[in-house]
């Protein structure tokens, strides 16, 4: 019988009652004859609680030894929920065993708090599955070559699940969460958002990378690389619904661009508040300035997203870019300390009160005027666009954070995403 990986997010694992419910659902699949591997997240709020405790003792630091302990700490959330789920399954009469990432091992690099999976040893899991056990593997974590526990970044259990599904050559990876699929935009912000029955892999990749937290971006990358069939569905349906009906519910991440998909010009809207804008003002406009500014930023391991350089006036120009909000202060310090004096720029200013709103759709490839329709909508709402970036299948704008919901709602309407699709 085929091997299936289930992933349950924090809310789905949020109480002993919910864990019991997960156990009953998994037991149903196991009794139907599937080989089952389950990847749970920490109980909701637990990762934040643990990281909050660390912060009470010492402010967040990029220091390696501090980062190492954060992973040592945060990984315990998933260890606890995995053991609890194994206990709940055993209580259901299902033979079950749980493993922490290091026990397999799930090998990662040493980038604490944002480690990348390098390999997964499947021997132990395959042995247990052959004996008829349900295997539970902690999400979010692995171990580096020096036996340090690592974590994969917030939301990383999605990535664990897909990587495990790829390594075990599972027939499908089902991501159970607190919404019943992928929506045209976050249904918490736009109640009119509609669930998509399928979304193309490329669109999902853009939605995730532009801020839709329903799937961690790396999980989508893994799914694409290893062609893992991936579905997002609700953990809140009654556990005893018909298995085949459950298996078809939610949203399928599709690798085939069917006709229907090509018709949708814009499939979804993503947004995020995770970035901050840095502007270097009055830079002498001469060759090499982008390199001088961004080279220093890259050397400090700070990732840059959008970049914009204004036309020069009186031999001076303004240069702006966005970084992750966590890197905002660090970037400002770096530029003020060394780069600005060397460049002879007038000043550097930061703005953390920005957000990025993106429209995503593979139909944009074959339709002109989609971006201008976006800009028109924003202008009608009186929203100023500070930066723009485009790719083949998305257009993103940076705007004032306080207009985020307004912009998302207006765009959702403009592109007819409120309408039921036939
Ligand atoms: P989990 O704990 O199960 O991993 P997350 O909170 O990480 O759940 O992801 C699910 C949440 O993602 C939803 O509750 C929803 O608010 C949010 N979300 C953002 N964008 C979308 C979208 N386009 N479709 C569905 N959910 C979305
Ligand atoms: N528990 C981790 C987090 O809160 C990983 C996850 O839930 O996917 O980010
Ligand atoms: Mg998540």
């Amino acid at each position: 019988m085929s091997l299936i990986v289930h992933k349950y997010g924090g809310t789905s694992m949020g109480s002993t009652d919910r864990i019991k419910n997960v156990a009953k659902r998994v037991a149903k699949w196991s009794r139907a004859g599937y080989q089952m591997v389950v990847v749970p997240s920490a109980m909701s709020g637990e990762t934040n609680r643990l990281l909050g405790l660390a912060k009470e003792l010492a402010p967040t630091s990029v220091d390696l030894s501090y980062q190492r302990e954060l992973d040592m700490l945060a990984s315990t959330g998933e260890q606890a929920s995995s053991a609890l789920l194994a206990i709940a399954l055993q209580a259901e009469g299902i033979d079950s065993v749980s493993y922490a990432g290091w026990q397999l091992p799930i090998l990662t690099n040493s980038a604490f708090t944002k480690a990348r999976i390098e390999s997964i040893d499947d021997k132990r899991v395959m042995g247990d599955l052959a004996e008829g056990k349900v295997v539970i593997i902690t999400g979010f974590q692995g171990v580096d070559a020096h036996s340090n526990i690592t974590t994969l970044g917030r939301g990383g259990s999605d990535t664990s699940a897909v990587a495990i599904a790829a390594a075990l050559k599972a027939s499908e990876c089902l991501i159970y969460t607190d919404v019943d699929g992928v929506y045209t935009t976050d249904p918490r912000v736009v109640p009119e958002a509609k669930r998509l029955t399928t979304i193309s892999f490329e669109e999902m990749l853009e939605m995730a990378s532009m801020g839709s937290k329903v799937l961690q971006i790396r999980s989508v990358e893994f799914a694409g690389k290893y062609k893992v069939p991936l579905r997002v569905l609700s953990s809140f349906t009654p556990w005893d619904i018909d298995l085949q009906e459950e298996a078809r519910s939610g949203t399928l991440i599709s690798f085939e661009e069917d006709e229907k998909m090509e018709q949708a010009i814009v499939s979804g809207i993503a947004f995020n508040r995770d970035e901050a804008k840095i502007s270097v003002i009055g830079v002498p406009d001469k060759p090499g300035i982008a390199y001088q500014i961004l080279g220093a930023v890259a050397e400090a391991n700070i990732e840059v997203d959008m970049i914009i350089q204004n036309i020069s006036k009186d031999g001076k120009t303004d240069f702006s870019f966005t970084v992750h909000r966590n890197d905002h202060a660090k970037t400002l310090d770096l530029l003020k300390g060394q780069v600005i004096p060397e460049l002879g720029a007038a000043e550097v200013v930061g703005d953390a009160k920005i957000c990025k709103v993106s429209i995503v759709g593979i139909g944009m490839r074959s339709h002109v005027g989609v971006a201008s329709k976006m800009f028109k909508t924003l202008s009608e709402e009186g929203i100023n666009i500070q930066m723009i970036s485009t790719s083949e299948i998305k257009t993103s704008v940076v705007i004032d954070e306080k207009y985020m919901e307004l912009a998302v709602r207006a765009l959702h309407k403009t592109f007819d995403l409120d309408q039921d699709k036939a």
Side-chain angles (χ1 to χ4, degrees):
M1 198 68 164
S2 45
L3 195 168
I4 304 280
V5 174
H6 280 192
K7 180 259 171 178
Y8 291 90
T11 317
S12 313
M13 295 290 294
S15 64
T16 47
D17 276 343
R18 289 200 175 149
I19 293 175
K20 258 188 217 165
N21 217 51
V22 169
K24 287 188 192 308
R25 192 182 297 277
V26 173
K28 174 181 75 181
W29 282 74
S30 172
R31 290 195 175 106
Y34 292 95
Q35 292 194 314
M36 295 301 300
V37 173
V38 187
V39 179
S41 289
M43 295 170 77
S44 59
E46 181 63 4
T47 311
N48 285 343
R49 186 186 75 85
L50 292 167
L51 296 175
L53 291 175
K55 228 179 186 169
E56 274 179 35
L57 294 170
T60 314
S61 145
V62 290
D63 195 67
L64 262 192
S65 51
Y66 185 94
Q67 298 270 313
R68 180 189 182 278
E69 300 313 324
L70 286 183
D71 282 3
M72 187 75 184
L73 175 69
S75 63
T76 62
E78 269 70 11
Q79 186 168 330
S81 62
S82 295
L84 290 171
L85 181 57
I87 289 168
L89 274 162
Q90 288 163 11
E92 285 294 319
I94 298 283
D95 199 2
S96 173
V97 58
S98 73
Y99 293 108
W102 64 267
Q103 289 177 296
L104 296 180
I106 296 176
L107 267 187
T108 72
N109 65 11
S110 303
F112 296 119
T113 75
K114 45 177 183 282
R116 282 178 183 265
I117 295 177
E118 288 178 345
S119 66
I120 298 178
D121 188 333
D122 66 359
K123 273 198 281 317
R124 226 166 150 172
V125 181
M126 286 316 219
D128 289 329
L129 290 173
E131 287 172 20
K133 288 182 187 157
V134 168
V135 180
I136 299 161
I137 304 172
T138 49
F140 184 49
Q141 61 178 270
V143 63
D144 77 0
H146 312 285
S147 302
N148 297 303
I149 289 178
T150 54
T151 67
L152 309 180
R154 299 307 304 267
S157 298
D158 297 331
T159 303
S160 305
V162 179
I164 288 166
L168 302 176
K169 302 190 177 57
S171 340
E172 198 165 355
C173 181
L174 302 179
I175 306 282
Y176 287 86
T177 183
D178 56 6
V179 270
D180 61 355
V182 178
Y183 277 67
T184 46
T185 192
D186 190 340
R188 285 188 216 207
V189 171
V190 182
E192 296 78 23
K194 295 278 184 275
R195 180 171 61 84
L196 302 160
T197 48
T198 57
I199 182 168
S200 75
F201 157 73
E202 278 180 283
E203 288 172 323
M204 193 63 240
L205 199 60
E206 285 284 13
M207 288 283 279
S209 73
M210 293 301 119
S212 283
K213 297 205 169 79
V214 62
L215 284 177
Q216 199 202 34
I217 168 102
R218 281 192 204 151
S219 71
V220 188
E221 287 168 357
F222 256 105
K225 190 162 172 202
Y226 297 100
K227 295 284 176 293
V228 179
L230 188 62
R231 186 178 284 277
V232 176
L233 67 171
S234 171
S235 70
F236 293 153
T237 54
W239 68 267
D240 55 354
I241 59 168
D242 177 67
L243 190 147
Q244 293 309 326
E245 186 190 325
E246 183 176 318
R248 285 191 301 271
S249 66
T251 303
L252 176 73
I253 318 304
S254 164
F255 294 102
E256 288 154 34
E257 295 187 6
D258 66 21
E259 257 172 52
K260 189 175 148 280
M261 286 176 182
E262 279 184 32
Q263 282 165 17
I265 298 174
V266 171
S267 296
I269 300 175
F271 50 85
N272 85 50
R273 272 182 268 239
D274 294 343
E275 292 184 25
K277 187 172 80 167
I278 310 281
S279 299
V280 188
I281 315 281
V283 192
D285 196 6
K286 56 180 191 221
I289 56 165
Y291 173 66
Q292 267 181 281
I293 297 172
L294 298 180
V297 172
E299 232 164 78
N301 256 328
I302 299 168
E303 255 181 71
V304 168
D305 182 24
M306 286 200 202
I307 302 168
I308 189 168
Q309 183 178 341
N310 289 343
I311 51 161
S312 85
K313 202 172 154 232
D314 306 326
K316 304 257 181 187
T317 184
D318 298 339
F319 190 90
S320 300
F321 57 95
T322 62
V323 294
H324 195 280
R325 223 172 257 199
N326 294 344
D327 291 326
H328 180 211
K330 194 176 160 194
T331 314
L332 280 179
D333 286 351
L334 175 85
L335 292 178
K336 279 183 184 154
Q338 168 204 338
V339 184
I340 298 307
E342 273 174 24
L343 267 179
E347 59 171 334
V348 55
V349 288
D351 181 2
K353 291 201 162 63
I354 57 151
C355 71
K356 186 164 76 176
V357 176
S358 311
I359 55 172
V360 173
I362 47 180
M364 286 165 73
R365 271 193 196 126
S366 46
H367 288 79
V368 291
V370 183
S372 68
K373 196 166 169 186
M374 178 189 202
F375 306 150
K376 179 166 180 254
T377 302
L378 296 174
S379 95
E380 282 166 357
E381 297 294 339
I383 300 170
N384 185 40
I385 300 171
Q386 303 178 20
M387 294 170 123
I388 299 170
S389 85
T390 62
S391 80
E392 229 189 344
I393 65 162
K394 70 123 215 275
T395 301
S396 302
V397 295
V398 167
I399 59 172
D400 189 323
E401 181 186 66
K402 67 174 184 265
Y403 298 124
M404 190 185 83
E405 296 193 4
L406 175 65
V408 175
R409 287 208 184 97
L411 292 168
H412 199 263
K413 228 189 178 107
T414 296
F415 290 104
D416 292 333
L417 297 175
D418 299 2
Q419 308 301 315
D420 278 317
K421 305 282 177 299

